[in-house]
């Protein structure tokens, strides 16, 4: 796996709706910019060898970094793959939609739900939103949120951005009723 760079972003919301957020609402994202392992090969029918060679290593690289950056137990989490213009969206999906990748984060976060995800293709600097949901109950509305990310110089055409995001809480000042109130 050829990693060009790793980017870490930590965001803390201190006020929302004109009121203090206490404690501050914290979200961390760690993104690895990697060489697309299928780049330049034309259409690759069997992606399994590339998944086996890279997915677990990516999960092992990113999960501890996002946990450290968050500095708290995650309550919500998500993932993303953004493929450069010379690749296929399926290349990013292959790396993040496998337990070989996601179980590293689920284990670190003591999570039981599947990680929500976004996959897309785009040029360097493309915006993408990482969806987040609660780590043990995807129906908890307060933790349905997204975090916008942009890496000015990534992905290059033959690269993939693989990112994990974690939040230490739900949305700041959330006040929607539980889903069970509508059932």
């Amino acid at each position: 796996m050829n990693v060009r760079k790793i980017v870490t972003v930590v965001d803390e919301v201190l006020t929302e709706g004109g009121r203090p957020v206490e404690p501050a609402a914290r979200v961390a994202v760690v993104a690895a910019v990697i060489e697309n392992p299928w780049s330049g090969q034309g259409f690759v029918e069997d992606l399994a060898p590339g998944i086996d060679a890279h997915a677990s290593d990516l999960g092992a690289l990113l999960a501890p970094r996002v946990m450290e950056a968050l500095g708290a137990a995650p309550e919500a989490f998500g993932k993303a793959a953004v493929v450069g213009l010379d690749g296929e969206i399926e290349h990013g999906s292959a790396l993040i939609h496998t337990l070989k990748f996601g179980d590293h984060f689920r284990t670190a976060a003591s999570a039981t739900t599947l990680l929500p995800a976004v996959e897309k293709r785009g040029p360097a600097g493309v915006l993408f939103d990482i969806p987040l949901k609660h780590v043990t109950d995807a129906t908890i509305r307060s933790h349905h949120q997204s975090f916008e990310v942009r890496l000015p110089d990534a992905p290059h055409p033959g690269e993939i951005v693989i990112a994990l995001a974690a939040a230490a809480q739900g949305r700041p000042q959330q006040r929607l009723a539980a889903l069970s109130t509508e059932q």
Side-chain angles (χ1 to χ4, degrees):
M1 175 175 61
N2 295 320
V3 179
R4 178 166 66 88
K5 68 189 274 182
I6 296 174
V7 177
T8 301
V9 176
V10 177
D11 185 79
E12 291 183 321
V13 176
L14 305 175
T15 62
E16 180 73 22
R19 293 184 175 189
V21 176
E22 295 176 4
R26 189 174 176 96
V27 177
V29 175
V30 178
V33 180
I34 67 165
E35 180 181 308
N36 183 335
W38 300 283
S39 186
Q41 298 178 35
F43 187 86
V44 177
E45 188 68 40
D46 184 5
L47 300 176
I51 294 167
D52 291 342
H54 304 292
S56 182
D57 290 345
L58 279 165
L61 173 70
L62 296 175
R65 287 176 184 252
V66 74
M67 295 292 292
E68 181 180 351
L70 185 63
E75 291 186 12
F77 65 169
K79 61 187 174 182
V82 182
V83 180
L85 294 176
D86 287 348
E88 301 172 40
I89 293 171
E90 189 71 0
H91 296 163
S93 295
L95 293 172
I96 68 170
H97 290 304
T98 172
L99 297 177
K100 293 172 184 179
F101 175 77
D103 275 353
H104 290 280
F105 198 12
R106 262 186 298 284
T107 298
S110 299
T112 57
T113 59
L114 294 176
L115 286 143
V118 65
E119 314 83 25
K120 69 187 292 184
R121 179 176 35 230
V126 66
L127 286 170
F128 58 99
D129 288 342
I130 302 176
L132 293 99
K133 295 206 180 200
H134 196 276
V135 297
T136 60
D137 185 348
T139 67
I140 297 176
R141 290 186 194 185
S142 59
H143 289 61
H144 292 199
Q145 55 190 313
S146 60
F147 190 81
E148 185 177 79
V149 180
R150 178 181 173 273
L151 306 181
D153 69 339
H156 290 171
E159 293 179 333
I160 304 174
V161 174
I162 302 292
L164 291 178
Q169 70 298 306
R171 294 181 311 277
Q173 313 295 21
Q174 76 79 28
R175 49 199 178 273
L176 296 179
L179 181 61
S180 61
T181 65
E182 294 183 28
Q183 296 176 337

